[in-house]
């Protein structure tokens, strides 16, 4: 049974920080690239950042570059998203997703992801 569970969301003031975690089970974590997506009310889902299976490659959406960092711990089957300098426009439900790469050490926000979590809410107040 594949499980993908996000945690760490909450309410934070503008300029603050949060660290999201995504714990996984039921698939071989280090054979998958991983990514964070988000969806705000009334808006389409968008990619935030991705990381290759080894962690050697990362990619970010433009508005979060320099503020957000995606990392992973393959020994713990866990993905992280460190979010700094948060802005009200970062308010959204954040989702973790996994994509099989057949050994390729790359990631992309513009590809299909197989496994998704239920999301964790991040709210940034002014």
């Amino acid at each position: 049974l594949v499980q993908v569970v996000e945690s760490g969301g909450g309410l934070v003031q503008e300029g603050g920080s949060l660290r999201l975690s995504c714990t996984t089970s039921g698939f071989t974590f280090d054979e998958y690239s991983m990514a964070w997506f988000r969806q705000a009310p009334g808006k389409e889902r968008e990619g935030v950042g991705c990381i290759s299976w080894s962690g050697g490659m990362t990619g970010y959406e433009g508005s979060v570059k320099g503020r957000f960092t995606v990392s992973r711990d393959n020994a713990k089957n866990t993905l992280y998203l460190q979010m700094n300098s948060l802005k009200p426009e970062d308010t959204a439900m954040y989702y973790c997703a996994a994509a099989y790469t057949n050994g390729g050490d790359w990631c992309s926000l513009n590809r299909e992801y197989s496994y998704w979590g239920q999301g964790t809410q991040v709210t940034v107040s002014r």
Side-chain angles (χ1 to χ4, degrees):
L1 176 66
V2 171
Q3 291 189 312
V4 179
V5 181
E6 302 92 339
S7 62
L11 175 63
V12 64
Q13 286 192 328
E14 185 173 10
S17 298
L18 278 176
R19 188 195 197 202
L20 305 185
S21 297
C22 170
T23 57
T24 72
S25 62
F27 62 97
T28 306
F29 186 72
D30 60 8
E31 291 183 352
Y32 285 72
S33 66
M34 300 294 296
W36 289 97
F37 291 80
R38 66 185 180 187
Q39 187 166 21
K43 294 187 177 181
E44 292 189 355
R45 186 176 63 197
E46 66 173 353
V48 174
C50 67
I51 187 167
S52 64
W53 73 264
S54 74
M57 175 186 173
T58 56
Y60 298 93
E61 185 270 329
S63 70
V64 308
K65 283 182 180 178
R67 299 189 298 123
F68 290 11
T69 302
V70 181
S71 62
R72 64 190 294 163
D73 184 337
N74 288 346
K76 296 182 178 179
N77 295 342
T78 301
L79 176 73
Y80 303 99
L81 180 66
Q82 178 66 45
M83 304 186 293
N84 299 328
S85 302
L86 282 161
K87 304 175 181 180
E89 50 264 44
D90 294 320
T91 295
M93 186 72 79
Y94 283 71
Y95 299 91
C96 169
Y100 182 65
T101 56
N102 196 25
D105 197 24
W106 58 277
C107 75
S108 172
L109 294 173
N110 298 309
R111 65 162 296 173
E112 188 171 338
Y113 281 76
S114 304
Y115 304 132
W116 292 82
Q118 295 299 305
T120 186
Q121 178 67 37
V122 172
T123 303
V124 184
S125 64
R126 296 187 185 277

